[in-house]
Amino acid sequence: MASFFLRRASCSAARLLSSSLSLSTATIIPKSNPNPNFIYHHHLLQLSRENKIASPYLTFIKEISTIPSTKKEQKENSGELPNRGEKSWIDVHLPRQVRPYAHLARLDKPIGTWLLAWPCMWSISLAAEPGILPDFKTMALFGCGALLLRGAGCTVNDLLDRDIDTKVERTKLRPVASGLLTPFQGLCFLGFQLFLGLGILLQLNNYSRVLGASSLLLVFSYPLMKRFTFWPQAFLGLTFNWGALLGWSAVKGSLDPAIVLPLYASGVFWTLVYDTIYAHQDKEDDLKVVVLPSVDSMLILGCHIMHFLAAASGHLAWQIWTVDLSCRADCNRKFVSNKWFGAIVFSGILFGRLLS
């Protein structure tokens, strides 16, 4: 119906404009507060009389018949975030209704899942019997758990930071910040993710269930640390490397502090390095919002942390000495490369256990 009235209006306007072509060229433009639309169409009429363009009523019809929908309608119709740039596999292959939730869980950016999963794999491999491969079922469970927990962490972060995210160039188009999802929808999705995570946790031993559930305190409180402390990276390290404790307990049924605590601490220092690099992507936007700045000395601290293998230490040193902290793209490139650091450490542990 709306389309019908638009066409009728455009036809009427077309007749008016067409008849105006026969008028004299002495069209008077008000000197005080001229209407921009009037000036625009008057200019088209003049050009038409001079045969420089086609009759202006065609232009008017084109404009009025292609009125863009509102931002809200565009979001609802496409299921995509506006102006995302290059489309990911989410926008190409997933149903329209599912896309906002997949973006909320960062399924198209798996680096977070890798960084959460590697400490688990290190610990599971260390707990394996000498000369025997680590249990594949346990590793698969922890891989799925890392995917779910990382998605839940991103959801919590976006819900708590939705007002801040709108002021940061890199995050302003996230589903909750952009309005594509409401906070209530995000909260429901969080409950769904935690429910699936509970299903994985219940397959572990009782000791690991308690240990795993206790990590939720870190997951829910980490997004707030950037408001209250200069060391949010350290708190993220405590959160992301919890799997170094949980993986061992899932295999052994308890913890051996002499083994798991150095592993956990090493992972925390690793996180200090890669998350400091990651944070430099937003250093210009951080000045606009109430977020405590990063402490660059953490990079120097990371330089002095020796890890398990020379190759891993070399990779970490390469990140630190070659990163251009003033270049957002280079910071992101170095941050994503940490999945290979995790793979190097895992390979060293695995070969060490098989050869022992």
Side-chain angles (χ1 to χ4, degrees):
M1 183 64 71
S3 176
F4 171 76
F5 284 116
L6 283 175
R7 292 192 185 95
R8 291 294 300 272
S10 64
C11 290
S12 299
R15 286 195 295 271
L16 289 172
L17 287 173
S18 179
S19 62
S20 67
L21 292 175
S22 60
L23 299 177
S24 63
T25 59
T27 307
I28 301 175
I29 301 176
K31 294 183 179 180
S32 60
N33 299 323
N35 188 317
N37 290 329
F38 179 83
I39 297 175
Y40 169 69
H41 289 292
H42 169 69
H43 182 61
L44 287 178
L45 286 171
Q46 296 293 348
L47 292 176
S48 177
R49 294 188 186 102
E50 298 173 8
N51 295 323
K52 292 183 179 180
I53 63 169
S55 184
Y57 74 88
L58 295 177
T59 304
F60 182 78
I61 292 174
K62 180 180 179 181
E63 290 177 355
I64 199 171
S65 62
T66 57
I67 296 176
S69 58
T70 63
K71 291 183 178 179
K72 182 176 180 181
E73 290 173 341
Q74 290 174 345
K75 294 175 185 176
E76 292 176 351
N77 291 336
S78 67
E80 300 174 6
L81 298 177
N83 300 323
R84 287 191 62 90
E86 294 185 5
K87 291 186 177 182
S88 68
W89 63 269
I90 290 176
D91 303 307
V92 176
H93 299 293
L94 292 186
R96 186 177 60 197
Q97 295 81 359
V98 178
R99 294 172 193 167
Y101 298 97
H103 282 298
L104 183 59
R106 314 284 200 276
L107 295 184
D108 57 335
K109 298 177 180 178
I111 179 59
T113 302
W114 282 113
L115 296 177
L116 195 62
W118 280 127
C120 305
M121 304 309 171
W122 301 344
S123 187
I124 293 171
S125 300
L126 279 175
E129 295 296 328
I132 299 177
L133 287 170
D135 183 60
F136 179 77
K137 178 183 176 181
T138 303
M139 296 179 69
L141 283 175
F142 273 79
C144 294
L147 178 66
L148 290 171
L149 190 60
R150 189 271 179 128
C154 291
T155 303
V156 172
N157 182 81
D158 285 11
L159 288 173
L160 294 177
D161 284 354
R162 59 184 183 274
D163 294 331
I164 294 177
D165 285 345
T166 59
K167 302 175 184 178
V168 179
E169 183 66 26
R170 185 177 55 85
T171 61
K172 66 181 181 181
L173 294 181
R174 285 177 175 173
V176 178
S178 66
L180 190 59
L181 291 178
T182 66
F184 178 74
Q185 289 174 315
L187 194 61
C188 292
F189 182 57
L190 174 62
F192 175 71
Q193 291 172 297
L194 294 178
F195 177 76
L196 294 180
L198 178 62
I200 293 177
L201 191 63
L202 291 177
Q203 299 184 56
L204 306 179
N205 55 59
N206 290 333
Y207 189 95
S208 299
R209 292 173 186 174
V210 176
L211 187 64
S214 62
S215 68
L216 292 179
L217 178 62
L218 295 171
V219 172
F220 280 89
S221 58
Y222 161 69
L224 300 174
M225 290 302 106
K226 66 188 73 173
R227 294 174 172 85
F228 305 121
T229 176
F230 287 100
W231 290 77
Q233 288 90 344
F235 205 85
L236 180 68
L238 297 176
T239 307
F240 258 54
N241 293 279
W242 199 256
L245 308 178
L246 191 57
W248 180 278
S249 70
V251 177
K252 299 291 189 180
S254 62
L255 291 178
D256 186 345
I259 297 177
V260 297
L261 290 184
L263 179 67
Y264 183 55
S266 181
V268 171
F269 286 124
W270 173 44
T271 304
L272 291 179
V273 176
Y274 69 65
D275 197 54
T276 300
I277 293 174
Y278 178 80
H280 271 77
Q281 296 178 88
D282 302 325
K283 60 183 179 181
E284 295 178 358
D285 295 306
D286 286 345
L287 299 176
K288 306 174 186 177
V289 295
V290 185
V291 176
L292 296 178
S294 302
V295 180
D296 290 349
S297 60
M298 287 185 287
L299 280 176
I300 300 175
L301 179 61
C303 293
H304 298 284
I305 303 302
M306 294 303 296
H307 291 266
F308 307 100
L309 301 172
S313 298
H315 186 280
L316 198 62
W318 167 76
Q319 288 188 53
I320 295 170
W321 293 115
T322 64
V323 63
D324 183 358
L325 296 178
S326 63
C327 176
R328 178 177 297 180
D330 192 56
C331 287
N332 183 68
R333 189 159 46 247
K334 296 301 191 301
F335 168 71
V336 171
S337 72
N338 279 278
K339 63 185 177 184
W340 299 116
F341 173 87
I344 292 171
V345 174
F346 173 73
S347 300
I349 295 173
L350 181 61
F351 285 123
R353 299 304 289 171
L354 291 176
L355 296 176
S356 60

